[in-house]
Amino acid sequence: MIKKFEANKARLRRHQRIRRHFEGTSSRPRLNIFRSGQHIYAQIIDDSIGQTLVAASSMDESLQNFKPEQSSSATKASEVEAQQPEVEEVAAEAPAKKGKGAKQPRTAQPAAVKKEKKSPVEQLAGISSNRKVAIAREVGKIIAQRAKDKGIAQVVFDRGGYAYHGRVAALAEGAREVGLDF
């Protein structure tokens, strides 16, 4: 019989494997994330007493009529084109040969240019106009603000078995913007 791959079971195994290495304490509770297809949820949990201290989600009333900011992608595309170096012809035109030994004129390849390292916020700029990503960032800001109101400054980040990418990364960056340390 063919075994069926179950993504949620695989995620739960990853989550348990990650959880073996850290635990939320009263001095440094755990920021746990759960994301469904539609929503994202975040909780700050003290595992020593088994209690949720702070919670926020994309279902909060303050986010019901949320509209993400629209960025102009046309200006970004023109900036990228301006940074591209032009390819120059190096070799002179050789007389055209016919047959197997025909050589093509050589062109110089542009020098390899290392890209500047982007900050995490700049890395998310490409998908920040996505509604779910923008809401996840706002949820991160909300939970960080609620944590600061309760006197929580440092947390252990538990990504819940999800890849640190997209909505999970946006939530983390939103929390860091407000001042939550992890």
Side-chain angles (χ1 to χ4, degrees), residues 119-129 133 137 165-166 169-171 173:
S119 70
V121 175
E122 291 172 338
Q123 290 174 350
L124 290 170
I127 59 173
S128 62
S129 62
V133 174
R137 188 175 194 162
H165 187 284
L171 190 143
E173 291 307 317

Side-chain angles (χ1 to χ4, degrees), residues 47-111:
D47 289 321
S48 61
I49 57 174
Q51 185 176 6
T52 298
L53 306 173
V54 180
S57 75
S58 57
M59 297 176 68
D60 283 353
E61 289 181 18
S62 61
L63 296 175
Q64 291 304 313
N65 297 322
F66 178 77
K67 301 258 192 251
E69 295 177 7
Q70 296 295 331
S71 62
S72 59
S73 59
T75 57
K76 290 180 185 176
S78 63
E79 290 174 7
V80 171
E81 288 174 8
Q83 294 174 357
Q84 299 279 336
E86 303 233 356
V87 177
E88 300 176 10
E89 295 268 340
V90 175
E93 289 290 327
K97 285 187 180 179
K98 294 183 180 181
K100 273 188 167 181
K103 291 185 179 179
Q104 298 295 322
R106 292 185 180 192
T107 56
Q109 298 295 321

Side-chain angles (χ1 to χ4, degrees), residues 111-141:
V113 179
K114 286 192 174 183
K115 294 181 182 178
E116 294 179 21
K117 188 163 181 150
K118 294 181 179 179
S119 70
V121 175
E122 291 172 338
Q123 290 174 350
L124 290 170
I127 59 173
S128 62
S129 62
N130 182 322
R131 179 173 168 72
K132 290 182 187 177
V133 174
I135 286 177
R137 188 175 194 162
E138 291 300 314
V139 169
K141 290 178 182 179

